Every structure is written in structure tokens, then in C-alpha cells.
Amino acid sequence: MDAIRLHAYGPAANLRLETLPDPLPGPGEVRIAVRAAGLHFIETLLRQGKGVGPHPAPALPAVLGSEVAGVVESAGEGVPAELVGRRVVTAGTGSGGYASLAVAPAGSLTELPGSLDFGAAVAMITTGATALGLLELAPVGPGDVVLATAAAGGVGTLLVQHARRAGARVVGAAGGPAKAARVAGLGADLAVDYRQPGWDKLVREAFGEVGVVFDGVGGELGRAAYGLLGGGGRYVMFGSASGEWFAPGAEEAAGRGIRVLDGIGHLLGRDRGMADLRALALEAAAEGRLTPAVQAFPLAEAAAAHAALEGRDTVGKVILVP
């Protein structure tokens, strides 16, 4: 099979296309012919040898990636034969997703609803489920003014769409004029380029105070977004694409009547896990209620995909196509 393998921690160029033996499914597992594999920003850090939270740096050599969508090609012992030929998606590959073939536990599979394509399925299985989980933590509706940072990213584009459909007024902050234009095309009432000084003043002039902030960037951008919240506002932290988390001081937030909500903690702490959110996300995409933005790279260009993701030069969910 074709696979992208990492032999040494370091820059994106260390990701190399190689030919490896085809993986064999063990008991309770299936082998998937991969049609799309998902990338996450966290994988750019793992590539550098940096452990992130519960994710340690991978043992080398490594094939990164946990999300794939494709067709079940073969089944291991104890797996129903009727799974072979099914169109499926999983966020739990055991052999590394940056490859033309991947092995995964049969219990981790979700069959693709309707005619949902493989790229959209990969975009929704974790990124879409994350967006719905954040909205579960901080529901929005008519009368809310919602600000999403990284609004041109995989989660951000979905938050903008959902908030708009829910009747909220939506501000999307994205890096660069092209990304801001993309966010405006999603229906945001105001799309701002956060690389431009004074972007937060534009928001204040247009809406006064913001009621809900979904922040996946952190750092100074997160601080500026938090500053736009009015009394009774909600600040939802779920990422640090800037390389630095921003967490408001508890006393200061309480003094302003602002609730600070840990989005990742909420997702990890759900008693039901993520299975229900994954199913809801896939259904929303299949029915056209949410449309994930997808940027595809050929599998052989995984290094370029990592570099683009690190440089914030991508829009939506980044996938590799074998």
C-alpha cells in the first residue's frame, strides 16, 4: 500500500511517501480502502515530537492519522461478512490513516448516510461532531450575537452556518481577506480579517457587545474576542491555533458576569461519548443542513498539506486523497 511515514520528528518535509506491506485486519477488525483521510492541527505538533494532552508523541517510524472514510475491503475474524463493501467512516484507525489502506475496529465504523461523499464524511466525523458538541454546551438562537474565531476553519465554518440557521446574528473572524470573503459567503452578518488592526472595533461598531464567543485560536486574538463580550456573555474555549491558550481570569470573568466554558473538557467528559454527536453530524451533512468546507490534497502531498495547515493557508477541513 501507499503510506506517508515519519522517520524523524521535525518539519513537514519529514513526511515521506513509501510503499509498505498491506495491513491485515485482526479479530474484530476490518481493512478499509481509504478514499479520504483527515488531518488535524494536533498532528502537526505530533510530527514535531510534541505530546499534546492525552496524545503522546508517536513512536517512530509512524503513520499518522486517525480519521478515514472509504470502503470496507476485508474483515477479520468475528466480523460480519456483510460489512465488506460498505461505505464507512471512522475516527479510530489502528494502523494510521495517511495511507491507501487502513485497519480499524469494526465497532468504530459508521456507515455513510445517503449519498454523502467521503470527504464530507471525514470532515464531519470529528470536526462536525466537535462543532455540535460546542453548540450543545453553548446553545445559540434568535437575539444572540455570536462571534467565531478561525471562522474559515473546519469547526468555524460549521459554527457560522449553524448559528445563522438558528437565527443568531453572526460575526466570523478569519485570517486574510480571502478567508473573510469565504466566511461572508457562508452567511455571516459581518466577516472581519483579524490580521488587520482594529478588527474588534469594527465588531463593536456594528453590534455593540457580543453574547457568545467560540474561540479556537487563543492568544491575543482570543483576548480581543473575549473583550467584546457583554455582561452575561459566554466565552467558549476549544483551541489554540495561535500556539497559546487564552483563559480569562476567573475573578475578572465573574465580575463581568461572563461564563467561561471549556469546550474540549465538555466533549471529553460527556457520559455518552461522541457516538451520538458523530451520527448527528453525518446526518446534518447528508441532509444538507450543514455543508463542511473541505480542502483536499493528494496523499503524496501530505507534507504540503501539513505546511499549509501550519501556515494557516487552508480553508475548512484538510483531507488527503489516496
Side-chain angles (χ1 to χ4, degrees):
M1 69 172 183
D2 291 333
I4 299 295
R5 194 145 69 151
L6 179 71
H7 288 272
Y9 301 131
N14 286 4
L15 295 168
R16 304 291 179 83
L17 180 67
E18 298 181 6
T19 300
L20 300 178
D22 293 351
L24 298 175
E29 295 180 331
V30 300
R31 185 167 72 193
I32 301 168
V34 179
R35 299 290 185 264
L39 270 69
H40 280 278
F41 187 80
I42 188 176
E43 291 161 6
T44 69
L45 302 175
L46 296 175
R47 188 203 70 229
Q48 298 172 55
K50 300 175 182 177
V52 182
H55 306 283
L60 299 178
V63 177
L64 300 176
S66 60
E67 299 170 343
V68 301
V71 178
V72 176
E73 186 187 75
S74 61
E77 182 183 346
V79 177
E82 56 264 29
L83 278 181
V84 176
R86 299 279 180 89
R87 300 169 67 248
V88 299
V89 61
T90 178
T93 60
S95 62
Y98 296 7
S100 56
L101 295 172
V103 167
S108 74
L109 305 180
T110 301
E111 190 165 359
L112 270 59
S115 59
L116 186 66
D117 68 66
F118 296 113
V122 164
M124 297 304 284
I125 193 67
T126 297
T127 302
T130 296
L132 293 185
L134 297 175
L135 290 160
E136 174 184 69
L137 177 63
V140 300
D144 285 321
V145 177
V146 178
L147 167 61
T149 67
V155 173
T157 54
L158 297 172
L159 291 172
V160 169
Q161 291 177 57
H162 178 95
R164 202 65 190 88
R165 286 178 63 93
R169 291 178 293 169
V170 183
V171 181
K179 288 187 177 183
R182 180 66 179 266
V183 173
L186 294 172
D189 296 278
L190 176 65
V192 294
D193 176 2
Y194 62 65
R195 294 179 180 174
Q196 295 298 316
W199 70 267
D200 51 335
K201 293 180 182 177
L202 295 177
V203 178
R204 195 171 292 284
E205 288 170 3
F207 296 103
E209 295 176 334
V210 171
V212 186
V213 169
F214 292 100
D215 180 30
V217 178
E220 289 305 312
L221 177 62
R223 187 183 304 278
Y226 169 74
L228 290 166
L229 283 165
R234 292 167 285 169
Y235 178 75
V236 184
M237 306 179 295
F238 70 93
S240 57
S242 66
E244 177 188 353
W245 284 93
F246 170 70
E251 248 183 65
E252 193 273 345
R256 292 176 56 194
I258 293 173
R259 283 184 289 160
V260 179
L261 304 172
D262 178 0
I264 299 303
H266 171 70
L267 294 169
L268 294 175
R270 291 178 92 246
D271 291 337
R272 292 166 288 171
M274 293 286 285
D276 60 329
L277 291 177
R278 297 188 198 284
L280 289 171
L282 291 168
E283 288 171 12
E287 294 171 2
R289 288 181 282 114
L290 291 175
T291 303
V294 176
Q295 184 167 346
F297 289 79
L299 178 66
E301 296 179 16
H306 265 238
L309 194 57
E310 288 176 294
R312 302 190 201 174
D313 294 326
T314 60
V315 173
K317 176 69 175 180
V318 180
I319 67 170
L320 300 176
V321 180

